[in-house]
Amino acid sequence: MATTAIPQARPYASRRSWVLEWLTTTDHKKIGALYITTAFGMFLVGGIMALAMRTELAQPGLQFLTPDLYDQLFSMHAVTMIFLFVMPMMTGVGNFIVPLQIGAADMAFPRINALGFWLVPAGAVLILGAFAFGGAPVGWTMYAPLTETTPAHGIDLLLMGLVLLGSSSILGAINFLATIFKLRAPGMTLMRMPMLVWTTLVTSVLLLFAMPVLTSGLVMLFIDRNYGGGFFDPSLGGNPILWQHVFWFFGHPEVYVLILPAFGIVSEIVPVFSRKPLFGYKAFVLATASIGALGFTVWAHHMFTTGAVYLPFFSFFTFLIAVPTGVKFFNWLATMWGGQLKFDTPLLYAVGFIALFLIGGLDGAFLAVVPFDFMVQDTYFVVSHIHYVLVAGSVFAIFAGLFYWFPKMTGAKLNERLGKIQFWLLFIGTNVAFFPMHLLGLDGMVRRVVDYAPNNGWADLNLLSTIGAFLIAASVLPFIWNVFTTLRGPRDAGDDPWDANTLEWATTSPPPVFNFDELPAIRSERPVFDLKHPGASVAHAAAGAGAAGKDTH
Amino acid sequence: MSPYDRPTRVPSQGVDLRLTKSARLRRAAGLITLAGFAALALASCAAQVNQHPTGDSQAPGFFPGQVVTIQGQEAANLYPIVFAVAAVVFVLVEGLIIWITLRYRRKPTDTALPVQTHGNNKLEVLWIVIPFLVVSGLFVGTYATLADTEKISPTPDVTIDVTAFQWQWTFAYPGVLNAAGQPISFTGAGSTGPEMVLPTGETILFRLHAQDVIHSFFVPQFFRKLDVIPGRVNEFQVVIQDEGTFGGQCAEFCGLGHSQMYFTIRAVSPSDYVTWAAQAQAQANASPEPAPSGAVTVAVHAVSIVAGFDPNTVTAPANTPLTVQFTNGDPAVAHNFAIKAANPDGSDFIGEPPVQGGQTGSFQVPALPAGTYTFYCAIHPNMTGTLKVGG
């Protein structure tokens, strides 16, 4: 593998102008980088919205936001974080890493890949442009008939922006599926695929089933608003509950769209930094697939309090999701058990993910208890749950992945010291910001309110939560400084700085156009590990275990 | 020479060790901070006294506050069970994480690979089966509780028709009628909202109606909320055990005034309730709805610029002055009521002043000869409806 690549003076060398190159690229790595940088910018935008809201809520009474602006902000914060940050970020990481991990030269449809990306900034302009047209103060759930009777034209911009993003996701999902099924290197069987590839595969299936439902629903809502369609308007014979079914039939699988790639990232990092294979690979694949399947059976648990759904069915399947999720937790712990853990920033974030996502998972079990959900639905308990899942879950995994793959993407390793400062700020900030919300919700503080009663004993916990929000904001600063200084420094990380397992580490950092000149033999889910430890690999093969099942040495 | 031989492992070990120690210190610091913040949170709330009717009298804590209905209490009784299960899982997993991160750190002596364990079928089956049994148990508890709390008695003692609209509540008592045979009702705004008086120990049926968008009827001390959905009547029943004043609030985001959509429930003894109902009835009869003499009241509801009026066909008797009771359901936009060619000189009747978003008002329309008129909003002339006078 000494001849991995054509030597390059600079990454992405091109004779074309720099701007034109990035605007017209169809290279999956550049598109991945575009996704990631766009998404990170949106993370900052959504974060500023959150800070504005938390500042308003620090004390009871109206301090500096009007109710209308507050309503616009909480709606746009959710839309920005979900559709413009986490989804493009996960797509970007997948775009960069998945073709490398399966030994492919590019995505299956490079031009569609570029189209998929460029729909994101277009959608972002429409969605954030809503602020200029009265915003979209209807929540990210856009419940009918409120969305139909609220006059602000920003809502129309939001709906159309989301249609663009939905189309982008559908294109991306098809592209990932085609890439994973058709472009794997010789020897890369399905059961040797890295876990990020598996989770991307399942995520793409989820998107393919869920996104068209949302996108058509959005168009129906648009027709209702502007042309009197009456799909969801009871005064015209429509049904507002139907919108909720449409929305959550997308919305719950969407939760797994946001978290399955995070599971994949953590499952890549934990084995590498433990110097052990992933414990129970097959069980992990099955757990991922079952979470994906179960994800389509639980949507109405968001609608328990509508009085219009069959409660036991959705309660039972919601509980059931705890089982495959539990499998993942125990497999991660068993992977680390007996390993040689090296607490570089990626593992720190991965372990932080496991420790805090657990809280989000346990909240989920509470919420599956329907009579308890009747109490805490639409309160801060749910706000806490969603943030333990999406911040402690997706965001932790995103930072884990960014620290892990940054050397592969740029050729330079991020600074470990700054990384650890960032981790502890984020870890403490996340808990300080979101844990008190459990108690507030349990005491009956409803969400989506600009103000709360001054003498319910809620002021202190809200202030604490606001302090946490600012800690989270502070944690982003070392990261930006870290990226800035690292990119100005030498690109000397080397091909395989983490002593890792999967194929992306068998090419240069950053990889050349079309990724590989030569691939190592692929005989397990850890081809690069096998290359470095021929003995271990032979013993493994001799034991006859494909991936899981037996203890081997 | 392959680049995948592990070179330069040894020189980096010194660095690893230092990081290990400092990282361990930082982890400990993090844990202490966490514990400290939890203690702070509890201690600081314990000092609070709550007089506001929108919450219970206890400070926020890890367990539900006061619950005053039989159904709510049964639901709340599930909480400690789920909490115990969650606590066991939490301690087990977090304990394992802390143990593993302390015990299995990479040491300078770790030059050889650790045992390459790929899995263990027995263990994996175990941690599929045990969680399955646990969640099945929780589901059984949920199912059994639901069967009790969702029971609807066909003969409730008191029925309340709750009507939610942007951004107020109306509580009507179909069992307590005024002289005109209409249920007495209460509408109100402000930090307490309208008050609903209910007897303790009797079965109360809530029937929830929405006029405009989806709301949610939420009383924290009932441990219960139920959405109020246009085009649909949701119902639930409670038996209140304790006398007292309990706050409630809309829990489903419903627009600009959502955060101020309060109401209050006052539970009194059955005998006090009878006394109260008699008084309320007498009061309602003493001050009937003021209506101009000879005028006929016509209700008109403006929905939005897009959706217009609902209903958009209104009938009225001929040659009679009309009082148009105008409800503006449009959150932030003012509307009014105008009639084309209604004035004797052929010009349009235009109701002034316009009714602000989310409010109600009335317009006095002079007597009209029989015929079909077009009414509209003079501010948004695209909002139109039909006024049939006479016939």
Side-chain angles (χ1 to χ4, degrees):
Chain A
M1 291 303 297
T3 56
T4 345
I6 305 157
Q8 283 180 312
R10 285 190 59 78
Y12 311 130
S14 167
R15 251 175 269 148
R16 285 190 287 175
S17 96
W18 181 84
V19 175
L20 191 68
E21 170 62 24
W22 281 93
L23 284 176
T24 60
T25 182
T26 56
D27 181 338
H28 74 97
K29 299 181 290 295
K30 284 183 185 172
I31 291 173
L34 286 170
Y35 265 116
I36 291 169
T37 41
T38 308
F40 189 78
M42 289 299 135
F43 176 53
L44 301 182
V45 171
I48 287 167
M49 295 181 200
L51 285 186
M53 286 187 287
R54 276 315 326 168
T55 307
E56 175 59 51
L57 291 173
Q59 284 178 26
L62 294 182
Q63 282 86 32
F64 86 109
L65 292 182
T66 62
D68 182 51
L69 185 56
Y70 183 89
D71 295 347
Q72 293 182 34
L73 284 174
F74 79 70
S75 308
M76 214 49 102
H77 165 73
V79 170
T80 307
M81 287 305 199
I82 291 167
F83 291 99
L84 297 175
F85 162 51
V86 178
M87 286 179 75
M89 182 61 88
M90 293 304 189
T91 312
V93 171
N95 233 293
F96 202 111
I97 300 301
V98 164
L100 288 168
Q101 284 196 325
I102 60 173
D106 203 323
M107 295 284 280
F109 308 115
R111 286 194 181 85
I112 287 181
N113 201 20
L115 173 64
F117 167 73
W118 287 106
L119 286 174
V120 174
V125 166
L126 284 183
I127 289 172
L128 295 176
F131 278 115
F133 297 90
V138 290
W140 84 287
T141 47
M142 299 169 282
Y143 274 7
L146 179 68
T147 304
E148 299 173 350
T149 59
T150 305
H153 286 296
I155 299 169
D156 297 315
L157 289 179
L158 171 67
L159 294 176
M160 283 301 104
L162 288 177
V163 166
L164 290 188
L165 293 176
S167 312
S168 159
S169 290
I170 293 168
L171 294 176
I174 293 170
N175 210 348
F176 273 125
L177 289 175
T179 307
I180 293 170
F181 281 121
K182 302 309 287 182
L183 296 188
R184 297 194 309 280
M188 179 61 76
T189 62
L190 283 176
M191 293 311 277
R192 288 175 190 165
M193 293 198 310
M195 207 45 70
L196 179 72
V197 180
W198 265 112
T199 53
T200 305
L201 170 63
V202 175
T203 302
S204 302
V205 174
L206 294 184
L207 280 171
L208 207 51
F209 282 111
M211 260 304 171
V213 177
L214 175 74
T215 312
S216 14
L218 291 167
V219 172
M220 290 160 87
L221 207 50
F222 189 84
I223 293 172
D224 266 19
R225 270 181 64 79
N226 295 293
Y227 311 110
F231 293 111
F232 309 120
D233 183 351
S235 62
L236 296 173
N239 188 343
I241 300 289
L242 176 63
W243 167 255
Q244 298 192 16
H245 280 296
V246 168
F247 183 84
W248 289 115
F249 184 82
F250 148 81
H252 200 82
E254 170 72 8
V255 175
Y256 299 111
V257 166
L258 303 174
I259 201 65
L260 281 178
F263 287 168
I265 292 170
V266 170
S267 309
E268 293 295 311
I269 288 169
V270 166
V272 168
F273 291 84
S274 310
R275 299 177 81 192
K276 282 181 63 195
L278 187 65
F279 189 93
Y281 177 94
K282 275 182 188 158
F284 223 99
V285 170
L286 285 175
T288 306
S290 22
I291 289 177
L294 288 173
F296 280 105
T297 62
V298 299
W299 76 89
H301 71 209
H302 299 268
M303 302 162 56
F304 281 158
T305 59
T306 57
V309 296
Y310 182 59
L311 303 170
F313 176 89
F314 292 103
S315 168
F316 180 71
F317 279 96
T318 305
F319 275 123
L320 213 51
I321 285 202
V323 176
T325 314
V327 168
K328 288 181 179 250
F329 270 84
F330 290 118
N331 282 356
W332 286 323
L333 295 181
T335 305
M336 292 195 284
W337 186 276
Q340 296 164 357
L341 305 185
K342 186 163 186 297
F343 274 93
D344 289 330
T345 312
L347 184 65
L348 208 50
Y349 267 113
V351 172
F353 169 96
I354 299 171
L356 296 190
F357 186 78
L358 175 71
I359 298 176
L362 292 173
D363 290 348
F366 279 90
L367 292 169
V369 180
V370 182
F372 180 68
D373 183 82
F374 285 163
M375 171 67 195
V376 293
Q377 163 77 325
D378 278 318
T379 70
Y380 264 86
F381 193 94
V382 174
V383 179
S384 176
H385 168 64
I386 189 77
H387 285 93
Y388 265 98
V389 172
L390 289 185
V391 177
S394 303
V395 174
F396 271 56
I398 283 167
F399 280 120
L402 289 180
F403 272 89
Y404 180 59
W405 282 302
F406 199 83
K408 184 51 62 185
M409 292 173 177
T410 66
K413 246 170 120 168
L414 287 168
N415 181 289
E416 278 293 311
R417 190 178 172 77
L418 283 172
K420 279 166 187 162
I421 292 171
Q422 180 202 352
F423 171 80
W424 284 111
L425 277 173
L426 184 57
F427 185 88
I428 295 166
T430 300
N431 286 296
V432 173
F434 302 122
F435 198 86
M437 291 180 181
H438 285 119
L439 312 184
L440 290 170
L442 194 53
D443 205 51
M445 179 169 166
V446 300
R447 66 181 189 153
R448 295 177 166 180
V449 287
V450 63
D451 191 16
Y452 49 92
N455 43 3
N456 277 338
W458 295 342
D460 293 342
L461 289 175
N462 271 296
L463 179 62
L464 197 64
S465 178
T466 301
I467 293 170
F470 278 90
L471 281 176
I472 294 174
S475 79
V476 180
L477 302 178
F479 181 76
I480 295 172
W481 179 248
N482 202 348
V483 170
F484 180 71
T485 51
T486 304
L487 287 181
R488 286 173 63 90
R491 310 288 178 102
D492 56 357
D495 294 356
D496 183 16
W498 307 114
D499 188 19
N501 299 333
T502 41
L503 276 185
E504 73 270 32
W505 307 103
T507 182
T508 52
S509 304
V513 178
F514 303 127
N515 301 341
F516 300 94
D517 289 337
E518 193 187 330
L519 279 167
I522 302 162
R523 297 196 188 85
S524 76
E525 84 276 17
R526 296 190 293 170
V528 174
F529 174 90
D530 295 341
L531 203 62
K532 291 179 282 190
H533 306 279
S537 151
V538 168
H540 182 199
K550 286 182 184 157
D551 289 352
T552 52
H553 186 65
Chain B
M1 158 84 191
S2 157
Y4 297 108
D5 287 345
R6 279 181 295 111
T8 67
R9 175 67 59 203
V10 178
S12 69
Q13 279 164 2
V15 178
D16 288 353
L17 190 63
R18 263 195 296 117
L19 282 177
T20 299
K21 273 181 184 164
S22 56
R24 192 176 294 170
L25 277 175
R26 272 176 241 157
R27 169 165 289 272
L31 288 174
I32 291 165
T33 315
L34 261 185
F37 116 71
L40 176 78
L42 286 176
S44 59
C45 318
Q48 290 282 339
V49 183
N50 172 20
Q51 292 117 12
H52 197 279
T54 56
D56 65 337
S57 55
Q58 281 153 300
F62 282 93
F63 288 89
Q66 183 199 15
V67 179
V68 295
T69 64
I70 291 177
Q71 289 82 354
Q73 192 55 55
E74 186 168 351
N77 287 345
L78 277 176
Y79 182 85
I81 303 169
V82 188
F83 187 87
V85 171
V88 168
V89 175
F90 180 81
V91 169
L92 180 84
V93 176
E94 302 290 358
L96 263 175
I97 293 173
I98 291 169
W99 163 256
I100 288 171
T101 52
L102 295 179
R103 166 70 183 76
Y104 295 110
R105 281 167 178 277
R106 197 171 299 180
K107 294 185 272 294
T109 49
D110 287 338
T111 46
L113 282 176
V115 180
Q116 300 290 298
T117 321
H118 283 267
N120 182 317
N121 284 347
K122 275 180 201 157
L123 263 180
E124 287 172 54
V125 168
L126 201 67
W127 62 53
I128 290 172
V129 170
I130 291 178
F132 179 78
L133 293 177
V134 171
V135 295
S136 299
L138 290 177
F139 172 72
V140 170
T142 301
Y143 191 86
T145 307
L146 264 183
D148 279 354
T149 59
E150 296 309 288
K151 243 183 240 154
I152 296 270
S153 153
T155 53
D157 301 308
V158 177
T159 300
I160 308 285
D161 278 307
V162 173
T163 304
F165 54 97
Q166 287 169 320
W167 294 275
Q168 285 176 41
W169 303 88
T170 298
F171 302 134
Y173 289 71
V176 187
L177 305 178
N178 63 16
Q182 295 297 312
I184 61 165
S185 72
F186 304 89
T187 305
S191 68
T192 53
E195 185 183 67
M196 182 197 301
V197 177
L198 295 172
T200 56
E202 295 187 7
T203 306
I204 296 152
L205 170 69
F206 295 105
R207 294 196 298 226
L208 310 179
H209 317 261
Q211 274 185 4
D212 36 41
V213 302
I214 299 177
H215 305 271
S216 190
F217 182 80
F218 176 37
V219 185
Q221 277 144 297
F222 286 6
F223 214 68
R224 170 80 204 215
K225 68 175 62 69
L226 190 59
D227 292 352
V228 190
I229 299 169
R232 174 183 176 85
V233 181
N234 271 338
E235 297 185 344
F236 75 106
Q237 289 186 345
V238 297
V239 176
I240 303 175
Q241 294 172 295
D242 304 323
E243 291 179 28
T245 304
F246 319 115
Q249 185 172 4
C250 177
E252 182 67 78
F253 180 69
C254 58
L256 201 60
H258 167 61
S259 63
Q260 299 298 317
M261 208 170 141
Y262 292 120
F263 59 92
T264 305
I265 284 173
R266 182 155 60 90
V268 297
S269 70
S271 59
D272 285 355
Y273 174 74
V274 171
T275 316
W276 170 85
Q279 276 173 1
Q281 203 166 20
Q283 248 170 27
N285 291 337
S287 55
E289 297 277 319
S293 58
V296 170
T297 301
V298 176
V300 173
H301 178 67
V303 181
S304 74
I305 301 169
V306 178
F309 296 94
D310 180 28
N312 60 9
T313 301
V314 177
T315 54
N319 306 316
T320 314
L322 303 175
T323 299
V324 175
Q325 283 295 340
F326 191 86
T327 322
N328 184 353
D330 206 348
V333 180
H335 295 298
N336 75 348
F337 181 80
I339 308 170
K340 283 193 175 149
N343 290 340
D345 63 355
S347 64
D348 292 1
F349 165 82
I350 295 177
E352 292 289 355
V355 175
Q356 294 305 310
Q359 299 188 351
T360 56
S362 64
F363 302 107
Q364 302 301 329
V365 181
L368 294 171
T372 302
Y373 298 80
T374 300
F375 70 85
Y376 64 102
C377 168
I379 308 163
H380 311 100
N382 64 305
M383 297 170 63
T384 58
T386 307
L387 175 67
K388 287 181 179 161
V389 177

